[in-house]
Every structure is written in structure tokens, then in C-alpha cells.
Amino acid sequence: MTETEPAILDFRMLDGLAFAAARGRLNEAAIPALTASEIGPLFELSNLADDGLLPAPHVALWLTTNLFGPMLDAIRHGTREWVCPQTRRAGFLSTATPHDINAWTTFGLAAQQAATAEGFPKAIAAQLTAAMGELHSNIYEHAQEPQSGIVAFRASKGKFEFISSDRGIGVLNSLRSNAAYARLNDHGEALRLTLTDGISRYEHQAERGHGFRPLFIGLANLNGALRFRSGDHALLIDGKQPTLMTARPAQKPQLRGFFVSVSCAVNGHPRHGA
């Protein structure tokens, strides 16, 4: 990077801005020029802006949104489903309306085709899309504010990334509705439990609590980076074989709802970290 090139808005940079803002020390005039290159940090920035902590991407003078501009504009104008008409490599689906299986099928197919077009084997692309579908369904089942949710994807050469976001009750309050976790008071532990196979806010229902299994199956043998955010914690997982065993909890500024960011790569392509 030369002196004239902007820095990348990655999660490390975003966390620094958020911590500074939470401490009342954010000086926007001193923020270096930043450019958005991944949807994960960009959408988390949008959520932090919605919470009043940071400026929204479209008004942050220090941020260049690049090719994400049309996507952000469509979201701001209330569009419920959008796939880039020029490239077909990026898109989002809002959960502002009741769960529509036809809408999801169309959107999921667009995501799968984008992944395969950029180098992912068809079977892996299908698994990743299935993981997106589970996250999409989870918004309706657990957020208690399903109209606040969104799922988005972006594919580039050898890389595929997607996010799931809602502004609902968060994973801690969701788990507390299960009597077994009524006394739980740690957002980091709530994140770990939420990702644990077989654990759910629904009591005595054996078919529940398996929503994240497709995600870990889809990322097998991929170079993946996962970030789960709720409350004052993040759970970070990365590597060639991402599993809950390698998860790292990290304290973060408060964030309402539940946010998931996944970035993965094939064929030796690098990907940014969590």
C-alpha cells in the first residue's frame, strides 16, 4: 500500500473505531481514508451506526464504499431483494416480509451460481448456500424481530462471503427463554452455546439446535474466517478446518441483535481474517 492508497476497512480497523467511539474518543477528522473490500465489516459498521455508535457508511466521509454503493443504496431505499444486475456476484434478501420459500429459492440459486462462477465446486457452493438458508431461517425463528433481518453475499475470484444480520433480542436473551439457561449472563458463553450442536432456546425438542451444522460442513476443507457478534462479545473462528473447538471469544463494544460474517476461499486464494 502506498501513501496515497486508502486502508482497508477490515474487522480490526472497525473494532478500533468502535472501541474509540464507545469511550468517547473517536475523532472522525483523524480517521484515515478507508475503502470497503468485504461485506462483513461494512454490514457490521451499518449495525453499529444503527445503534448510534458510528456514522453510517453512506455518510462517513472517510469511507469509500466502492462497488458496494448500489447494494447499500438499495437497502436504504427499502428494496427487499436485490442481486447486482451487472455482475450477478453480489446480492441481499431482506426478512421484512413473512418467510417466502420461493423468494429464498430464487435468491439462494443466485448465490450458488455466483460462487460456482468464481471457482467454487458446485457441491461446495450448494453447501454454502444451504448454510445461508439456515441462517436466514434462524432470523425468523429466534430474533423475535424478523422484519429487521437481512442476508447478503458477495463472490469474487476464488472467494465467497456472506452475512446474516438481525436487530432482535440477541443470542443471550434467546437462550434465556430456555429454563436450562435462564441464569446465563455472559454474551460470549451464549455465543458458544448457540453454535453448539443440539443446544437451542426450545426445550425438549430434539430436532432443534442443529442450525449451524450446515455451516461447519460447508466450510470443511476451505480457508474460512467466521465472526459471530451479539451483545458485548464476538466469537472468532478461522483456519482450514473451522470448528467450534478453535473458537476464540473476544470482548467488543455492545451490538444489538445477532450478526454472522463468513468469508472463505478455495484454490489457495487468500481471504481476510475475522
Side-chain angles (χ1 to χ4, degrees):
M1 184 179 71
T2 67
E3 293 183 357
T4 59
E5 291 180 335
I8 299 297
L9 177 69
D10 57 15
F11 282 119
R12 178 179 295 184
M13 180 68 73
L14 179 62
D15 287 340
L17 295 174
F19 275 120
R23 295 164 182 157
R25 298 177 181 176
L26 184 67
N27 178 5
E28 284 203 67
I31 298 175
L34 298 174
T35 185
S37 66
E38 291 191 310
I39 62 173
L42 191 61
F43 273 80
E44 188 171 323
L45 170 61
S46 294
N47 286 356
L48 290 168
D50 188 47
D51 288 344
L53 193 62
L54 292 171
H58 70 283
V59 299
L61 299 179
W62 35 264
L63 180 65
T64 300
T65 56
N66 296 322
L67 53 84
F68 300 112
M71 176 186 281
L72 295 176
D73 288 343
I75 294 171
R76 287 172 49 226
H77 288 94
T79 304
R80 293 176 179 174
E81 181 180 356
W82 180 90
V83 176
C84 179
Q86 288 78 32
T87 69
R88 306 292 297 177
R89 298 295 189 269
F92 70 83
L93 180 66
S94 166
T95 60
T97 56
H99 196 180
D100 182 344
I101 188 62
N102 292 324
W104 168 256
T105 299
T106 300
F107 179 76
L109 181 60
Q112 183 174 331
Q113 290 174 340
T116 56
E118 294 295 353
F120 284 77
K122 188 174 181 179
I124 292 178
Q127 289 173 335
L128 294 174
T129 303
M132 290 176 59
E134 288 293 336
L135 293 173
H136 176 255
S137 296
N138 280 350
I139 294 174
Y140 289 98
E141 293 181 15
H142 301 293
Q144 294 191 16
E145 291 187 30
Q147 73 282 358
S148 69
I150 193 167
V151 177
F153 73 89
R154 185 213 175 194
S156 56
K157 189 65 175 179
K159 302 177 187 178
F160 188 73
E161 51 181 321
F162 58 92
I163 65 96
S164 170
S165 173
D166 71 71
R167 312 298 286 149
I169 61 173
V171 296
L172 178 58
N173 286 329
S174 179
L175 277 179
R176 278 175 171 169
S177 62
N178 182 331
Y181 305 106
R183 295 185 178 181
L184 187 66
N185 59 10
D186 183 277
H187 291 281
E189 179 63 7
L191 282 167
R192 188 190 67 80
L193 289 169
T194 295
L195 298 178
T196 301
D197 208 31
I199 293 181
S200 168
R201 73 186 182 96
Y202 296 102
E203 297 183 62
H204 312 303
Q205 295 189 32
E207 74 277 9
R208 298 285 188 171
H210 305 292
F212 292 95
R213 182 184 294 170
L215 178 58
F216 291 117
I217 291 175
L219 290 171
N221 299 316
L222 296 178
N223 187 19
L226 299 81
R227 179 177 170 107
F228 302 89
R229 280 280 274 123
S230 189
D232 63 0
H233 264 77
L235 206 63
L236 313 175
I237 307 173
D238 57 25
K240 189 80 172 180
Q241 295 281 355
T243 68
L244 189 56
M245 294 293 292
T246 62
R248 310 183 312 279
Q251 190 91 24
K252 304 294 179 186
Q254 192 76 21
L255 183 74
R256 181 164 51 94
F258 184 36
F259 178 80
V260 180
S261 170
V262 177
S263 176
C264 55
V266 292
N267 300 328
H269 289 270
R271 54 92 185 124
H272 295 298

